[in-house]
Amino acid sequence: MKQFLQNTLWFGLFVLALCLIIEFLLYLRPNTYSYKHDYLEEHVDDIQVLILGNSHIEEAIIPSELGKGVFNSAIAGRRLRYDVELGKMYIPKMSHLKYVLMPLDYTAFSFGRMGSPDDKGIPSPMDRTYQCMYYKYMNIRLDGIQYWSEIMNSKIKFMARFFESDSVSRGCDSLGFVSMKYNNRTSDWKTRTVPDSINTNISPDKKLQESLYENYAVLASLCKEKGVRLVLISTPMYETYREAMNPEVRKEMVSFTQKLKTEYGVVDYYDFTDDVDFKDEDFLDASHLTHTGALKLSAKLRKLI
């Protein structure tokens, strides 16, 4: 029995050491989070247009099409609270900043009226992944001092980074844009990412409603103090997505942006949801753009800002 316990202890120590080595080596391999963090740190005085947000923006705005000094720091799946933390970290330090661009998504206005766990504020299976990646690679610590290990928490295929080139491993181009190809669409692309119904006969959850406004208000306040514009964007949606949208919720979105404009004065809102210039080939699925769609949207934004 003594020998068995000793062997178990040594084996456990070996596994622990192996995990620590892998965790450290992963830190040395490029990924989207580390690349975008390092770019922001290195170019804090050069960026004129900072793009925040999730995949709707990461795959939809091409910095090189907007001009010089533009960086797309959006990352797929990003929660708004991480955008707020990034805004706090970088907006005050950016000496040449003129615009902050970020999404205003329809589903963010469900406020418990959609019925899904995520809609009710219940953590999703990916939340531990985000806690890990933002903690480890972007220095955002929203959950105390606990270290969030990739091996223990990440659902991203992290081991693949050991077998990829640096450019593939980082997951985006040099200015943060992620290009989605038309030929990568799945056969069910028209119905993928179509939102569940939002029932406006149900009263919205006031806490979720207030939290959404407070988060955007923090960013608007930071922009006002810095003298830059906060540009909110609703990206183009395919017809199947638009058909699933509740018109009353869209009115709520307009009222929401109007309140921000009135209170802070530096907010602009551009709604491309119904833009007829975007055709079938411009969509990867019901709510994400292909590269051709991103080119169109970027050209429109360049004229606007």
Side-chain angles (χ1 to χ4, degrees):
M1 177 61 73
K2 183 178 179 180
Q3 185 62 45
F4 173 77
L5 292 175
Q6 287 180 338
N7 291 340
T8 301
L9 176 61
W10 283 114
F11 179 74
L13 290 173
F14 170 76
V15 172
L16 177 61
L18 182 62
C19 289
L20 291 173
I21 291 170
I22 292 173
E23 193 78 29
F24 175 72
L25 293 176
L26 282 169
Y27 184 80
L28 301 178
R29 293 295 302 145
N31 63 74
T32 303
Y33 297 83
S34 63
Y35 179 78
K36 293 192 174 185
H37 170 265
D38 292 347
Y39 190 98
L40 289 170
E41 289 290 321
E42 293 169 11
H43 297 270
V44 69
D45 291 323
D46 305 326
I47 294 175
Q48 299 178 48
V49 180
L50 174 63
I51 303 171
L52 300 171
N54 51 35
S55 59
H56 287 156
I57 294 293
E58 182 186 41
E59 301 163 8
I61 301 179
I62 307 174
S64 59
E65 295 296 316
L66 267 64
K68 293 182 179 180
V70 185
F71 184 67
N72 191 333
S73 73
I75 295 179
R78 178 181 287 162
R79 305 293 192 188
L80 180 57
R81 61 180 186 153
Y82 293 111
D83 280 318
V84 172
E85 292 305 311
L86 287 170
K88 290 177 181 177
M89 290 168 65
Y90 292 107
I91 291 174
K93 297 192 294 185
M94 292 180 164
S95 57
H96 291 87
L97 188 65
K98 297 178 180 177
Y99 296 95
V100 174
L101 274 58
M102 63 180 303
L104 190 71
D105 289 332
Y106 169 79
T107 53
F109 287 78
S110 55
F111 304 132
R113 298 174 292 179
M114 190 181 285
S116 65
D118 185 62
D119 174 48
K120 296 178 180 179
I122 299 173
S124 76
M126 284 297 290
D127 276 351
R128 291 179 71 89
T129 298
Y130 302 139
Q131 289 169 339
C132 163
M133 301 304 281
Y134 284 105
Y135 184 109
K136 185 175 179 180
Y137 296 106
M138 302 194 87
N139 296 325
I140 296 177
R141 295 170 169 82
L142 296 179
D143 302 282
I145 60 174
Q146 178 180 348
Y147 176 74
W148 296 87
S149 161
E150 278 188 81
I151 294 175
M152 297 295 293
N153 295 284
S154 179
K155 292 184 178 297
I156 300 172
K157 296 179 180 178
F158 52 81
M159 291 297 288
R161 299 211 301 270
F162 290 124
F163 307 99
E164 297 171 338
S165 65
D166 286 0
S167 59
V168 172
S169 181
R170 79 183 183 200
C172 60
D173 71 10
S174 62
L175 295 176
F177 172 67
V178 175
S179 176
M180 306 305 290
K181 305 300 182 184
Y182 170 84
N183 56 9
N184 288 339
R185 293 197 308 197
T186 58
S187 59
D188 62 343
W189 70 271
K190 292 184 179 181
T191 56
R192 287 179 65 87
T193 71
V194 170
D196 293 332
S197 175
I198 298 177
N199 184 359
T200 50
N201 292 321
I202 300 174
S203 297
D205 185 310
K206 293 297 182 182
K207 288 185 178 179
L208 295 176
Q209 205 170 35
E210 291 169 1
S211 176
L212 183 71
Y213 187 82
E214 288 169 2
N215 280 319
Y216 277 98
V218 169
L219 290 165
S221 178
L222 288 167
C223 288
K224 184 176 181 178
E225 291 174 9
K226 192 67 176 177
V228 304
R229 304 296 299 181
L230 174 62
V231 181
L232 305 181
I233 301 164
S234 292
T235 54
M237 298 294 164
Y238 191 65
E239 59 188 42
T240 49
Y241 193 106
R242 298 197 305 270
E243 290 166 0
M245 298 174 79
N246 186 323
E248 294 304 313
V249 177
R250 297 191 68 179
K251 291 178 183 178
E252 292 174 10
M253 294 172 70
V254 174
S255 298
F256 179 91
T257 56
Q258 190 57 52
K259 183 180 178 181
L260 279 173
K261 289 179 184 180
T262 301
E263 186 167 354
Y264 295 98
V266 295
V267 179
D268 299 307
Y269 176 48
Y270 299 114
D271 185 0
F272 296 97
T273 305
D274 303 309
D275 195 320
V276 296
D277 289 342
F278 292 85
K279 310 302 181 183
D280 281 22
E281 63 270 18
D282 297 320
F283 292 94
L284 180 73
D285 55 34
S287 66
H288 295 86
L289 298 178
T290 59
H291 191 88
T292 57
L295 284 169
K296 285 185 181 180
L297 181 60
S298 300
K300 288 174 179 287
L301 285 172
R302 179 163 186 166
K303 291 180 180 179
L304 289 170
I305 68 170

